[in-house]
C-alpha cells in the first residue's frame, strides 16, 4: 500500500514537471502596451541595382527631349494594414526613399506593402495638381504626394482618408498619354517599370529602428527587330491590352517598351492560359494596309521579348515572325 502511494506521488510530480516544462518552452507572447516605435523603411533588392541605359533604348526621343520635371520622379508607395483583419492603418506616397518613416504600435502584426514606379519608356503615372499644390495620383494610388505617412486616426471622413483601393491592383494604372495634353491611358499592362515587395512585421522592445524591404522588378520588355524592311510602318496591336505600337524609319532600332504585370507580384510567369495576342499589320507608303500575321506572347518577369519580323518580299503576303526571350541583366536599365 505504501509503495502504491509513493508511485502515485511520483506520477503526479512527473506530470506537473512536464506541464511546467511544456509551458516554459512556448514563445513569450508579445504584450500590446499601446506604445509606438518609429521605423525607417529601407528598400533594397532589384531597386538598388545601378541604372545604366538598356542596350538599344531610346535616349533622346519619345518625350525625353523635355526638361526633367516631376514626371521623371520615381514614386514610392507605402501601404500598412492589419495582417489578420486587413484594416487600414497608414498610407503614404514619396518621391525619395531617404525619409520614409513609419510609426506603429508594439505588439500588433502589420503587413507592409511597398511599390516603386519608374516611368520607364512612358511619360509616367498620371497626376494632377490639388490645392494647396500637391500632386494627386489616380489608380493605383488615389492619394497626394506629401512625402509622409498618413494614419487612419489622423484623417477620418476627410479627403486624406485612407483608401482600400491603394495598391489593390497594379493593372490598369492611370498613365499620362501625352507630355502636353492632359491625356490619361489605362491598359491591363501599364507602360511602367514597377517594383514591389511586402513583409509582415511586429514591433517589440528589441526591434531595430529600421526595417529592410526587398523589392522585385515586376516588369517585362518588348522590342522589335525588322528584317528586310523597305519602308512603311509596322503596326503592332495587342487586342487592347497595351497601347498599339508603330515602328517605322524613325524608331527601327529604338522601340523598346516596358510594361508592368500585376501577376508578377506573386509569380514569375503569367497565370495559366494568360497570353498577349499580337497582330502585326504593315501600312505601306502608298497607304495600303497588309495583314502580316499574328502570334502570342507569354513573357516572364524581368525578361525582354524581341519580336523578329522578316518583312514579306514583293511576291509574298505573310511575314515571318520569330520570338526571342532573354533575361534582363541586373544593370540593364532604361535611361531614367
Amino acid at each position: 500500500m505504501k509503495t502504491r502511494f509513493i508511485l502515485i506521488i511520483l506520477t503526479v510530480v512527473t506530470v506537473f514537471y512536464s506541464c511546467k516544462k511544456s509551458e516554459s518552452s512556448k514563445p513569450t507572447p508579445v504584450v500590446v502596451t499601446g506604445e509606438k516605435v518609429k521605423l525607417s523603411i529601407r528598400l533594397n533588392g532589384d531597386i538598388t541595382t545601378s541604372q545604366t541605359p538598356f542596350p538599344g533604348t531610346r535616349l533622346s526621343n519619345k518625350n525625353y527631349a523635355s526638361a526633367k520635371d516631376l514626371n521623371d520622379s520615381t514614386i514610392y508607395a507605402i501601404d500598412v494594414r492589419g495582417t489578420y483583419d486587413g484594416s487600414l492603418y497608414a498610407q503614404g506616397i514619396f518621391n525619395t526613399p531617404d525619409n520614409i518613416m513609419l510609426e506603429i504600435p508594439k505588439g500588433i502584426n502589420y503587413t507592409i506593402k511597398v511599390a516603386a514606379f519608374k516611368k520607364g519608356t512612358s511619360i509616367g503615372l498620371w497626376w494632377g495638381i490639388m490645392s494647396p499644390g500637391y500632386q494627386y495620383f489616380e489608380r493605383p494610388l488615389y492619394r497626394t504626394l506629401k512625402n509622409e505617412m498618413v494614419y487612419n486616426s489622423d484623417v477620418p471622413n476627410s479627403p486624406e482618408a485612407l483608401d482600400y483601393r491603394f495598391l489593390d491592383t497594379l493593372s490598369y494604372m492611370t498613365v499620362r498619354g501625352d507630355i502636353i495634353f492632359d491625356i490619361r491611358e489605362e491598359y491591363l499592362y501599364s507602360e511602367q517599370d514597377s517594383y514591389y515587395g511586402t513583409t509582415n512585421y511586429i514591433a517589440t522592445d528589441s526591434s531595430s529602428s529600421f526595417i529592410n524591404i526587398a523589392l522585385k522588378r515586376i516588369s517585362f520588355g518588348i522590342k522589335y527587330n525588322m528584317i528586310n524592311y523597305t519602308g512603311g510602318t509596322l503596326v503592332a496591336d495587342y487586342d487592347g491590352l497595351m497601347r498599339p505600337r508603330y515602328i517605322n524609319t524613325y524608331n527601327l532600332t529604338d522601340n523598346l517598351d516596358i510594361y508592368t504585370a500585376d501577376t508578377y507580384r506573386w509569380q514569375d510567369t503569367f497565370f495559366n492560359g494568360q497570353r498577349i495576342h499580337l497582330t502585326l499589320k504593315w501600312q505601306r507608303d502608298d497607304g495600303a494596309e497588309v495583314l502580316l500575321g499574328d502570334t502570342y506572347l507569354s513573357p516572364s518577369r524581368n525578361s525582354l521579348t524581341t519580336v523578329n519580323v522578316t518583312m514579306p518580299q514583293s511576291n509574298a503576303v505573310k511575314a515571318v515572325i520569330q520570338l526571342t526571350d532573354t533575361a534582363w541583366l541586373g544593370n540593364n536599365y532604361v535611361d531614367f
Side-chain angles (χ1 to χ4, degrees):
M1 183 71 179
K2 182 177 180 181
T3 302
R4 183 180 179 186
F5 177 76
I6 292 174
L7 289 175
I8 292 174
I9 294 298
L10 289 175
T11 300
V12 172
V13 171
T14 301
V15 172
F16 178 76
Y17 174 75
S18 299
C19 292
K20 294 297 290 183
K21 184 177 180 181
S22 176
E23 291 178 2
S24 63
S25 64
K26 293 180 180 178
T28 303
V30 177
V31 178
V32 180
T33 63
E35 298 179 45
K36 294 184 178 181
V37 296
K38 286 187 176 181
L39 296 172
S40 172
I41 295 181
R42 300 179 181 178
L43 307 178
N44 52 38
D46 293 344
I47 198 72
T48 61
T49 314
S50 60
Q51 299 176 11
T52 58
F54 190 100
T57 186
R58 59 188 66 84
L59 297 179
S60 60
N61 64 348
K62 197 180 180 182
N63 307 318
Y64 281 85
S66 61
K68 294 290 184 179
D69 56 19
L70 293 175
N71 290 313
D72 298 286
S73 297
T74 297
I75 301 300
Y76 303 88
I78 317 296
D79 181 59
V80 185
R81 308 190 188 196
T83 298
Y84 301 115
D85 61 4
S87 57
L88 301 177
Y89 176 70
Q91 295 172 347
I93 306 177
F94 300 76
N95 60 4
T96 171
D98 301 326
N99 62 341
I100 303 178
M101 299 295 300
L102 173 64
E103 189 176 79
I104 61 174
K106 292 182 180 179
I108 302 179
N109 196 328
Y110 288 101
T111 297
I112 305 174
K113 301 177 183 179
V114 181
F117 306 99
K118 295 181 178 180
K119 75 174 189 175
T121 56
S122 72
I123 303 173
L125 291 174
W126 181 93
W127 54 267
I129 294 295
M130 289 187 64
S131 178
Y134 292 112
Q135 284 178 273
Y136 175 80
F137 291 85
E138 291 190 352
R139 187 194 297 260
L141 303 177
Y142 305 99
R143 299 202 64 79
T144 55
L145 172 63
K146 289 191 171 182
N147 279 303
E148 64 182 18
M149 296 300 297
V150 178
Y151 298 87
N152 56 3
S153 59
D154 297 338
V155 290
N157 303 317
S158 79
E160 284 295 305
L162 306 189
D163 196 319
Y164 277 101
R165 298 173 298 173
F166 187 81
L167 295 185
D168 180 55
T169 177
L170 301 186
S171 298
Y172 295 103
M173 291 189 283
T174 308
V175 177
R176 186 174 294 275
D178 188 89
I179 195 66
I180 299 175
F181 301 102
D182 188 17
I183 298 176
R184 309 175 198 186
E185 296 182 344
E186 294 182 352
Y187 293 97
L188 177 63
Y189 303 111
S190 307
E191 192 177 348
Q192 287 282 282
D193 193 15
S194 305
Y195 301 75
Y196 182 81
T198 183
T199 187
N200 291 340
Y201 189 81
I202 301 178
T204 66
D205 290 331
S206 60
S207 296
S208 302
S209 59
F210 63 89
I211 179 173
N212 290 313
I213 299 179
L215 303 186
K216 67 175 182 178
R217 195 182 198 185
I218 55 172
S219 304
F220 65 92
I222 298 177
K223 68 173 300 183
Y224 289 85
N225 178 34
M226 303 285 288
I227 303 168
N228 295 336
Y229 172 80
T230 58
T233 299
L234 178 72
V235 181
D237 184 84
Y238 303 106
D239 279 2
L241 299 180
M242 292 108 78
R243 184 217 294 232
R245 191 73 170 95
Y246 298 86
I247 298 98
N248 50 40
T249 304
Y250 302 102
N251 56 6
L252 275 180
T253 60
D254 185 19
N255 56 62
L256 169 69
D257 290 313
I258 300 177
Y259 305 95
T260 294
D262 188 66
T263 57
Y264 293 159
R265 290 200 283 174
W266 301 280
Q267 58 187 45
D268 291 341
T269 58
F270 281 4
F271 288 137
N272 291 337
Q274 193 175 25
R275 299 185 298 174
I276 299 172
H277 182 216
L278 167 65
T279 301
L280 296 178
K281 300 176 183 179
W282 181 26
Q283 293 178 349
R284 299 191 309 198
D285 290 333
D286 60 8
E289 185 173 272
V290 179
L291 177 64
L292 297 178
D294 68 334
T295 188
Y296 288 89
L297 311 178
S298 295
S300 299
R301 184 184 73 84
N302 210 24
S303 70
L304 170 64
T305 298
T306 300
V307 182
N308 300 287
V309 184
T310 301
M311 300 298 291
Q313 300 300 313
S314 56
N315 60 344
V317 177
K318 297 292 185 180
V320 177
I321 305 172
Q322 295 178 317
L323 306 180
T324 303
D325 288 337
T326 57
W328 263 326
L329 300 178
N331 64 346
N332 284 340
Y333 277 75
V334 174
D335 177 43
F336 295 117

